[in-house]
Amino acid sequence: MIAARSLSGGDTTTYDPVDYPDLQVREPSFLPVSSKPSDGTKRLRFETIIWNSGSGPMELRPENRGEEASTYAFQRLYTRDDTGEFTLVREATVGSFAFHAKHKHWHFGNFAAYELHTVANNGSVGDDIVASADKVSFCLLDDEEIALEMENSPPEAVYHECKQNTIQGISIGWGDSYESFLPGQNIDISDVPDGEYWLVFVADPSNLLEESDDDNNTSAVKLKLAGDKIEVFYKEKPSVTPTEGADDDEKDAD
């Protein structure tokens, strides 16, 4: 049993153990380089999948407070009984939602970070970041079947809308995929010289969300950049912490 804040916000009540979600990031895939001759920019694009390997859903409830011109995001945490039925235990503010003009729906902010790191002398992820697209926002959906054999994984998608007043989330065994052509799914590498780098993806980089394990939110690939060509060497899940940084228009507009 655990002690948790009641939904009414005042008292402390004892509840059954929480079935926490657990975000994991699939290794970066499909890595084209796109160039724009009109302004000389070059971007490394990629597909990402963030999925839930926990024992409970990753669920976010929006609450629009018009007088503050903000839409707050509340994470909802559940427990389940012997039949597998989930009961809401508690919720807490974890950030905010904002309307994404390019995607034309509502996104939860600061859900992912994308960084291009140097390679350390021993071949691991280096400390220096040569390019990044930090603090990327997402619309959380069930749109990729990852591990439906997991206990209590729903056979069909539960979360499938990203309106201002609809609950977003990722079910157990499901993933949220973003293809490489979508806005924000890239890093500007116009000023990055050819060479070897680590492309690092991090889910929940600001640690806003409650999970059963915060140490498995990172994945990476080691790659070689040569002009508009990318060669992938190998993949691993390094332990790295994303660097706080300013967002450009495209980073913030994911």
Side-chain angles (χ1 to χ4, degrees):
M1 306 287 281
I2 63 170
R5 178 178 61 80
S6 68
L7 293 178
S8 60
D11 301 327
T12 298
T13 308
T14 300
Y15 297 98
D16 290 330
V18 172
D19 284 281
Y20 288 99
D22 182 20
L23 297 176
Q24 292 199 41
V25 186
R26 285 288 180 95
E27 293 83 1
S29 61
F30 189 62
L31 304 171
V33 175
S34 62
S35 299
K36 191 175 181 181
S38 60
D39 60 10
T41 58
K42 184 168 65 173
R43 292 184 178 274
L44 172 60
R45 298 189 173 275
F46 35 75
E47 179 180 320
T48 59
I49 298 176
I50 297 177
W51 73 288
N52 180 10
S53 65
S55 60
M58 171 58 72
E59 186 174 283
L60 300 176
R61 178 182 67 83
E63 182 175 310
N64 184 34
R65 301 176 183 177
E67 70 278 7
E68 300 181 28
S70 300
T71 297
Y72 291 83
F74 292 84
Q75 182 180 1
R76 310 182 93 191
L77 295 168
Y78 290 84
T79 188
R80 55 182 172 156
D81 57 27
D82 293 337
T83 68
E85 291 294 320
F86 283 103
T87 301
L88 182 63
V89 170
R90 59 185 169 91
E91 59 179 22
T93 308
V94 290
S96 62
F97 291 94
F99 184 74
H100 190 296
K102 293 182 179 179
H103 288 198
K104 302 185 185 306
H105 54 213
W106 289 78
H107 281 203
F108 174 64
N110 301 348
F111 188 64
Y114 308 143
E115 299 173 343
L116 195 64
H117 286 243
T118 56
V119 178
N121 291 334
N122 63 359
S124 64
V125 179
D127 294 330
D128 294 333
I129 299 173
V130 298
S132 65
D134 299 300
K135 301 181 180 179
V136 180
S137 65
F138 265 52
C139 158
L140 275 64
L141 295 174
D142 293 337
D143 63 6
E144 190 83 19
E145 299 177 4
I146 303 296
L148 300 194
E149 71 279 4
M150 293 182 62
E151 185 178 4
N152 293 308
S153 175
E156 297 182 356
V158 174
Y159 308 101
H160 46 76
E161 288 188 319
C162 290
K163 299 178 181 178
Q164 185 177 15
N165 296 313
T166 56
I167 292 175
Q168 297 186 19
I170 305 176
S171 299
I172 300 168
W174 284 79
D176 188 4
S177 64
Y178 270 63
E179 297 178 324
S180 61
F181 63 84
L182 292 173
Q185 290 299 110
N186 65 82
I187 293 176
D188 189 336
I189 57 171
S190 305
D191 299 322
V192 177
D194 289 351
E196 295 182 8
Y197 300 96
W198 279 100
L199 177 60
V200 179
F201 291 173
V202 186
D204 189 27
S206 299
N207 199 26
L208 301 173
L209 302 167
E210 290 192 55
E211 302 181 58
S212 58
D213 187 355
D214 289 322
D215 294 330
N216 61 358
N217 288 21
T218 303
S219 68
V221 292
K222 188 179 181 183
L223 56 84
K224 182 177 182 180
L225 174 64
D228 290 346
K229 303 292 184 181
I230 293 290
E231 178 184 356
V232 175
F233 291 114
Y234 56 87
K235 309 173 181 179
E236 69 175 26
K237 293 185 177 294
S239 177
V240 296
T241 301
T243 301
E244 296 291 337
D247 301 332
D248 62 23
D249 290 341
E250 192 158 14
K251 295 170 189 173
D252 221 12
D254 176 32

